[in-house]
């Protein structure tokens, strides 16, 4: 049990952002630690995952696959948590679990959303390469992208939680991988450490031309993480029969819904899909856990153990740092899977 004088610090959604969130959209408050009822456990957050989808849940309308966070409620999020009190027959005090405790020190659960982590080391991997983002890369690339030997795969946000795994899995399948990332240091890492064949800085001039030079045989798989200017540069270079797993479009998450969009890309997109017989498929990773998660954990666990897939974590210390770290994620300041260390174990 927590100490008598302990409180539950939590970060609530204070206002709905217009455009890029600011620190004023979040509020750190203290509340009493809740007591578990029969059938519940009390969880202490050790690590909190910060992910781009959280920006979509801050809007009133929400993204459709999950409800928006109500104003005044704690921000939601995946966590690695320790069971510190239990009135649940299946979970003992001391057990380490993957949970959805959100941006707070403590939370209750009825157990239905908990996954025991046993001796996973370090446990925060369950929030990154061996968890939701890694699984997203695995399903999106292997089941939808289906890269073959010698094909060219392009992925942006290339050193991030999803993109870094996409590129490394594509290499394991024998593809040629071109990454796109924000800045020279990230690009160097993608090539030298992750083994990508090339990586382009999305902020440099003449991006479209440089992409064409880096993909002399066109693009067979474009793993869509960002949209925006990257998508514009990729579209004319897609090959006949290309596949486009549509995973996310972070360049637009801060768009103001009331402002007019820029140049309408839709006619160009549709014409390209049709003329080049391209498969472009959206997917939400929540749909694939039942069927594919076990295979992912087995294969990915082995690749990570053998050093065939490298995972980089960008770790921030302290729950109070979560808002600024999250804003940084939306601006490309994270380098690797962004995780907040909330509590000492
Ligand atoms: P990352 O760890 O890759 O962090 C986000 C990165 O996005 C930033 O570091 C930055 O990288 C890049 N970025 C930010 N703004 C822009 C911009 N305007 N244009 C281009 N790139 C930008 O995040 P994740 O790996 O967790 O997520 C990657 C994508 O996958 C997101 O779109 C996310 O929503 C999506 N996703 C979808 C899921 C699904 O079920 N479909 C599940 C999980 C994630 P850099 O500066 O290097 O370009």
């Amino acid at each position: 049990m927590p100490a008598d004088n302990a409180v539950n610090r939590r970060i609530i959604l204070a206002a709905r952002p217009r455009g890029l969130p600011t620190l004023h959209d979040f509020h750190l408050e203290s509340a009493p630690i809740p007591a578990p009822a029969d059938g519940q456990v009390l969880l202490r957050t050790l690590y909190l995952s910060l992910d781009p989808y959280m920006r979509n849940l801050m809007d009133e309308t929400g993204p459709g696959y999950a409800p928006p966070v109500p104003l005044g409620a704690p921000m939601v999020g995946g966590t690695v948590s320790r069971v510190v009190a239990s009135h649940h027959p299946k979970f003992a005090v001391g057990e380490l679990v993957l949970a959805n405790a959100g941006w707070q020190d403590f939370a209750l659960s009825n157990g239905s959303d908990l996954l025991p982590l046993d001796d996973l080391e370090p446990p925060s991997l369950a929030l990154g390469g061996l968890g939701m983002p890694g699984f997203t890369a695995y399903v999106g690339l292997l089941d939808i992208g289906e890269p073959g030997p010698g094909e060219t795969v392009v992925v942006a946000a290339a050193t991030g939680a999803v993109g870094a795994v996409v590129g490394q899995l594509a290499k394991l399948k024998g593809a040629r991988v071109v990454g796109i990332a924000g800045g020279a240091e990230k690009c160097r890492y993608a090539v030298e450490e992750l083994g990508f064949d090339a990586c382009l800085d999305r902020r440099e001039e003449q991006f479209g031309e440089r992409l064409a030079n880096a993909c002399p045989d066109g693009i067979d798989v474009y793993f869509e993480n960002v949209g925006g200017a990257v998508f514009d540069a990729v579209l004319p270079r897609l090959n006949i029969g290309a596949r486009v797993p549509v995973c996310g479009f972070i360049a637009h998450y801060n768009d103001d819904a009331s402002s007019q969009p820029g140049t309408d890309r839709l006619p160009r997109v549709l014409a390209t899909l049709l003329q080049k017989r391209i498969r472009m498929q959206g997917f939400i990773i929540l749909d694939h856990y039942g069927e594919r998660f076990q295979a992912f954990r087995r294969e990915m666990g082995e690749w990570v153990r053998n050093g065939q897939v490298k995972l980089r974590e960008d770790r921030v210390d302290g729950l109070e740092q979560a808002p600024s770290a999250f804003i940084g994620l939306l601006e490309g300041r994270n380098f690797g899977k962004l995780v907040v260390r909330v509590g000492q174990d």
Side-chain angles (χ1 to χ4, degrees):
M1 277 302 282
D4 285 348
N5 59 355
V7 291
N8 186 22
R9 293 174 314 145
R10 54 190 202 177
I11 293 175
I12 60 161
L13 179 63
R16 300 212 180 274
R18 297 195 63 172
L20 183 70
T22 70
L23 293 178
H24 298 294
D25 298 324
F26 304 92
H27 178 63
L28 175 65
E29 63 174 28
S30 293
I33 297 172
D38 250 9
Q40 288 186 323
V41 294
L42 177 65
L43 301 169
R44 168 81 169 104
T45 308
L46 301 185
Y47 295 98
L48 164 68
S49 180
L50 294 180
D51 299 279
Y53 73 86
M54 294 166 176
R55 173 63 187 87
N56 301 324
L57 302 189
M58 295 173 82
D59 288 336
E60 195 163 10
T61 45
Y65 55 81
V69 176
L71 280 176
M75 289 288 293
V76 296
T79 59
V80 167
S81 301
R82 182 81 67 192
V83 176
V84 290
S86 179
H87 295 308
H88 192 293
K90 288 205 184 123
F91 295 96
V93 169
E95 212 167 322
L96 199 62
V97 291
L98 183 64
N100 295 293
W103 297 28
Q104 53 186 343
D105 288 322
F106 295 93
L108 296 174
S109 167
N110 65 8
S112 62
D113 62 336
L114 303 183
L115 185 73
L117 290 178
D118 304 321
D119 52 0
L120 183 66
E121 194 50 50
S124 55
L125 281 183
L127 302 174
L130 289 180
M132 187 278 283
F135 187 42
T136 300
Y138 179 90
V139 168
L141 182 75
L142 302 184
D143 295 2
I144 302 173
E146 298 182 298
E151 286 194 319
T152 298
V153 174
V154 171
V155 61
T159 61
V162 174
V165 178
V166 167
Q168 292 181 85
L169 297 189
K171 285 303 296 177
L172 285 176
K173 297 293 169 188
R176 189 169 171 276
V177 177
V178 177
I180 296 162
E185 175 59 10
K186 286 182 177 180
C187 286
R188 188 202 59 75
Y189 174 78
V191 172
E192 291 178 14
E193 303 289 331
L194 302 181
F196 288 25
D197 296 281
C199 186
L200 308 175
D201 183 348
R202 68 180 163 93
R203 300 200 180 108
E204 273 187 7
E205 300 282 300
Q206 319 257 278
F207 176 69
E209 238 170 79
R210 287 186 294 115
L211 183 67
N213 291 337
C215 305
D217 300 326
I219 297 169
D220 300 296
V221 178
Y222 172 52
F223 193 100
E224 175 61 300
N225 274 337
V226 301
V230 173
F231 181 84
D232 288 346
V234 164
L235 190 65
R237 291 169 183 90
L238 290 169
N239 287 334
I240 289 178
R243 286 82 65 201
V244 182
V246 179
C247 175
F249 40 95
I250 193 167
H252 305 279
Y253 291 176
N254 292 312
D255 285 355
D256 185 345
S258 61
S259 68
Q260 288 300 312
T263 317
D264 183 1
R265 300 174 175 104
L266 193 60
R268 253 183 301 156
V269 173
L270 296 180
T272 306
L273 293 183
L274 180 81
Q275 289 156 9
K276 295 189 177 170
R277 294 75 123 183
I278 285 165
R279 177 141 72 101
M280 179 165 177
Q281 187 178 328
F283 69 104
I284 300 290
I285 199 59
L286 298 174
D287 301 339
H288 301 272
Y289 275 81
E291 226 177 287
R292 298 285 281 139
F293 193 68
Q294 291 308 325
F296 157 71
R297 280 301 280 266
R298 193 181 55 249
E299 279 198 288
M300 189 72 172
E302 207 169 298
W303 290 327
V304 171
R305 268 194 306 280
N306 296 342
Q308 288 169 285
V309 171
K310 291 185 190 167
L311 301 174
R312 177 182 178 121
E313 210 170 75
D314 185 342
R315 195 180 282 191
V316 171
D317 256 317
L319 179 67
E320 66 285 356
Q321 300 300 329
S324 57
F326 178 63
I327 294 167
L329 171 86
L330 297 171
E331 293 182 314
R333 275 190 273 124
N334 65 306
F335 192 169
K337 170 66 191 123
L338 185 58
V339 168
V340 181
R341 191 161 72 155
V342 176
Q344 300 285 350
D345 205 6

